[in-house]
Amino acid sequence: MGWGALALALALALSLALLLAVPPGAVAQTANPAYDKIVDATIARYHLPGIAVGVIENGKVVYTRTAGETVAGSGRKITPQTLFKIASNSKAMTTALLGRLVDQGKLRWDDPVTKYLPEFRMHDPWVTANMRVADLLTHSSGLPEGGGDLMLWPEPNAFTRADIIHGLRFIKPGYSFRSQYQYDNLLYVVAGEVAAAAGGASYETLMHREVFAPLQLDRCQVGAWNRDTVGDVATPHRRDGERNVPIPEAAAIPAITSAPAGGIRCDLTDMLSWARNWLVPTHAQLQWLSPVQREVLQAPHMLIPVSAQRRAWDHSHVMAYGYGWRMTDVDGQWLVWHTGTLNGMYSMLALLPDRNSGFVFMINGEADDARTVLGEMLTKHFTAPAEPRDVNWYADALEQRAAQRPADATAPDTSAQRPATTTELASWTGAYRDPWFGGVSLCPRDGKVRFAATKSPSLTGTVMRLGERYLVHWDGGELDAWLDFHAASAGTPTTLRMAKLDPQGDFSSDYEDLDFQRTEDCP
């Protein structure tokens, strides 16, 4: 065999080996020095446990990168097939499912919610009567930001979708119907139940049948499944000083109430396929979801205030929410995107429709600032490639802004806290009840006073004293909360209100919406 024939044979063998090394439908990793520099700098600045990144240019996947581990210290590498929680990026899949049902004539955006869910009630009867399916999707219902999210998170908990539909009537509005944008999750759960009623099957069944299967999102998971059977699953992590600490999960993943709002998991390969479906849909994909419904989903429906940071960094003039998508102008170019945040997992999917380009990344660790910085850098690669700012510039800017917060906007120093005694809390112990969250107990145990929520077992902790105030320090590391007791008066029982210890804490810890009344003594 001559050298030319031998070289050709070796090249063919190598190509075949590479093909065999990549599962069918998977995206092979592709290098790009410019993108590598951005990703490497982000990993280094924020010490991320694991990440998967993909970039699309002019309709084609031009870059994929995975780094880190599924579990910190395990040696198990992140791959393009590693499943991540996509959190609120699930919302766009839920709205696509609804759009499918509209195309099929089983649903209309202007239908009243009560047509499908007669038991549905909001706090205001007029809002109940006038709430359309579309109103479930635009974060303009009147619910306060994150209102009722304690029925969804922390997981696992015992709240059902029926509990959420019933509990909505007790959550007081924070503003008037359709007057402003305040992000909520509960109404996306309701939207999933509307889809189930209109589609004649559970939300999970419909998602597999109407979205995953036709788009060949073969690794995406929703409903009950098993980590060991599926394999290659990223574990979420929390940050403890300089360490990434895994947040353990059982092998058997249950069907979760929050799925339509944020309960789907996918890998990089499928998320890139999902993104390309919006940027450069094939003929078959345009049959799957019509151009009319595609436009409806990604059209502005509710204005969002443009932050000073976004105006300064991106020269944005307008920002809005569609159905499961955010949108704004960045350096004169239109950006459609969403983020996902769930305990120990962060994600972002961004599309520049006029350029048929975009990107997606998923991180299995605490990465609030990391997501902001990486998202900004990848966006600027398209909208302002000559921009000299780098990862460290944006990271420094975020740190400087955080340092300038007033004292009342930061978490207090809790180093002097101590367990409250049963004697000093004797007047306040007992069983309490909130109309939508249900029951909690504050009762003595082993010389301390323990807080325990009936339907949310993760919200169990010890009552502490800090100065003249009481707080609950959760066993599982959730966002701690102030406890403010008010003595009984004529005709009213003892009451308990709560608030986040850290005013900048996740809005889904909506302790401020709770209004407990004491119902009985401790056993």
Side-chain angles (χ1 to χ4, degrees):
M1 181 182 292
W3 284 112
L6 179 59
L8 178 60
L10 288 171
L12 289 172
L14 178 60
S15 298
L16 180 60
L18 290 171
L19 286 172
L20 291 175
V22 179
V27 176
Q29 298 213 43
T30 54
N32 178 296
Y35 291 128
D36 279 335
K37 182 179 179 180
I38 293 170
V39 174
D40 287 341
T42 305
I43 294 170
R45 178 68 183 246
Y46 293 104
H47 310 289
L48 304 177
I51 188 171
V53 186
V55 180
I56 299 166
E57 293 181 3
N58 197 27
K60 297 181 180 179
V61 176
V62 299
Y63 176 77
T64 59
R65 172 75 183 282
T66 61
E69 300 169 311
T70 59
V71 181
S74 69
R76 295 194 293 271
K77 300 299 183 183
I78 300 288
T79 75
Q81 289 73 55
T82 300
L83 287 179
F84 289 79
K85 296 179 181 181
I86 65 170
S88 284
N89 275 302
S90 305
K91 289 180 170 68
M93 293 187 175
T94 295
T95 60
L97 169 59
L98 291 166
R100 282 273 289 171
L101 296 173
V102 173
D103 272 344
Q104 294 167 5
K106 298 177 180 178
L107 179 73
R108 292 181 51 180
W109 296 117
D110 288 337
D111 283 341
V113 175
T114 52
K115 175 179 177 180
Y116 303 95
L117 304 173
E119 69 278 22
F120 173 80
R121 298 285 185 277
M122 295 294 284
H123 193 272
D124 186 326
W126 188 90
V127 174
T128 300
N130 287 275
M131 182 78 75
R132 306 166 303 155
V133 173
D135 291 315
L136 300 173
L137 311 174
T138 57
H139 308 293
S140 58
S141 68
L143 284 178
E145 184 180 40
D149 276 4
L150 286 172
M151 287 191 281
L152 298 178
W153 300 291
E155 292 171 333
N157 62 56
F159 288 100
T160 66
R161 291 171 190 167
D163 289 332
I164 287 171
I165 293 171
H166 180 75
L168 278 165
R169 68 197 67 189
F170 301 113
I171 301 177
K172 297 176 182 178
Y175 57 96
S176 58
F177 185 40
R178 297 178 187 153
S179 67
Q180 61 177 276
Y181 170 91
Q182 291 288 340
Y183 196 86
D184 81 80
N185 288 291
L186 294 194
L187 294 183
Y188 267 81
V189 176
V190 175
E193 291 302 276
V194 167
S202 71
Y203 169 82
E204 288 78 7
T205 297
L206 291 173
M207 185 56 63
H208 279 283
R209 188 180 75 201
E210 302 291 337
V211 180
F212 296 169
L215 293 181
Q216 298 180 311
L217 307 180
D218 299 328
R219 289 275 294 166
C220 289
Q221 301 291 329
V222 70
W225 53 285
N226 189 285
R227 287 174 56 105
D228 294 342
T229 302
V230 171
D232 202 355
V233 183
T235 293
H237 293 74
R238 61 179 176 84
R239 194 78 178 158
D240 182 10
E242 296 299 313
R243 298 187 308 133
N244 290 304
V245 180
I247 301 173
E249 292 186 306
I253 303 297
I256 53 177
T257 298
S258 63
I264 294 173
R265 301 196 206 197
C266 293
D267 67 10
L268 179 62
T269 300
D270 282 350
M271 289 301 288
L272 287 168
S273 296
W274 171 246
R276 293 184 72 251
N277 155 74
W278 298 104
L279 295 170
V280 284
T282 64
H283 176 75
Q285 288 168 344
L286 291 173
Q287 300 303 305
W288 169 75
L289 187 67
S290 69
V292 170
Q293 297 311 321
R294 289 168 179 269
E295 184 175 349
V296 167
L297 297 182
Q298 295 187 351
H301 292 286
M302 171 53 59
L303 289 176
I304 304 173
V306 180
S307 68
Q309 176 179 293
R310 189 168 288 279
R311 288 195 297 270
W313 287 6
D314 297 337
H315 310 103
S316 299
H317 300 82
V318 65
M319 185 170 167
Y321 204 87
Y323 295 166
W325 297 94
R326 296 186 185 100
M327 51 213 67
T328 191
D329 59 308
V330 176
D331 303 317
Q333 300 186 46
W334 196 236
L335 180 74
V336 178
W337 90 101
H338 214 286
T339 56
T341 305
L342 210 51
N343 188 24
M345 290 265 185
Y346 283 72
S347 64
M348 181 175 181
L349 171 62
L351 310 172
L352 292 111
D354 296 335
R355 302 179 60 141
N356 294 336
S357 300
F359 60 84
V360 60
F361 61 82
M362 298 170 289
I363 301 168
N364 64 331
E366 289 186 20
D368 195 358
D369 284 359
R371 180 179 60 196
T372 299
V373 170
L374 181 55
E376 192 70 19
M377 287 296 298
L378 292 175
T379 300
K380 291 295 187 182
H381 184 83
F382 291 102
T383 65
E387 172 63 66
R389 296 169 178 171
D390 61 8
V391 164
N392 286 326
W393 187 95
Y394 287 111
D396 290 343
L398 291 177
E399 289 185 2
Q400 291 166 10
R401 187 183 69 171
Q404 293 169 359
R405 290 181 186 137
D408 60 359
T410 59
D413 179 4
T414 59
S415 59
Q417 68 180 343
R418 61 167 176 81
T421 67
T422 56
T423 301
E424 64 189 315
L425 279 173
S427 298
W428 308 121
T429 56
Y432 290 77
R433 185 169 186 81
D434 173 83
W436 60 264
F437 186 71
V440 302
S441 64
L442 283 88
C443 293
R445 197 179 81 190
D446 300 329
K448 300 177 181 179
V449 176
R450 298 282 290 168
F451 183 112
T454 303
K455 284 195 169 186
S456 190
S458 294
L459 294 183
T460 301
T462 299
V463 179
M464 312 292 286
R465 183 159 183 167
L466 182 64
E468 297 302 312
R469 298 189 70 181
Y470 296 107
L471 62 95
V472 57
H473 178 60
W474 306 115
D475 298 341
E478 305 299 332
L479 180 63
D480 288 351
W482 293 114
L483 302 176
D484 294 311
F485 300 97
H486 302 276
S489 58
T492 61
T494 298
T495 60
L496 166 65
R497 300 303 300 266
M498 299 175 68
K500 288 183 279 291
L501 206 66
D502 181 357
Q504 302 298 318
D506 189 349
F507 61 73
S508 287
S509 297
D510 61 316
Y511 305 126
E512 294 81 0
D513 298 327
L514 297 167
D515 188 6
F516 289 105
Q517 292 190 352
R518 191 173 183 277
T519 57
E520 59 184 347
D521 295 336
C522 292

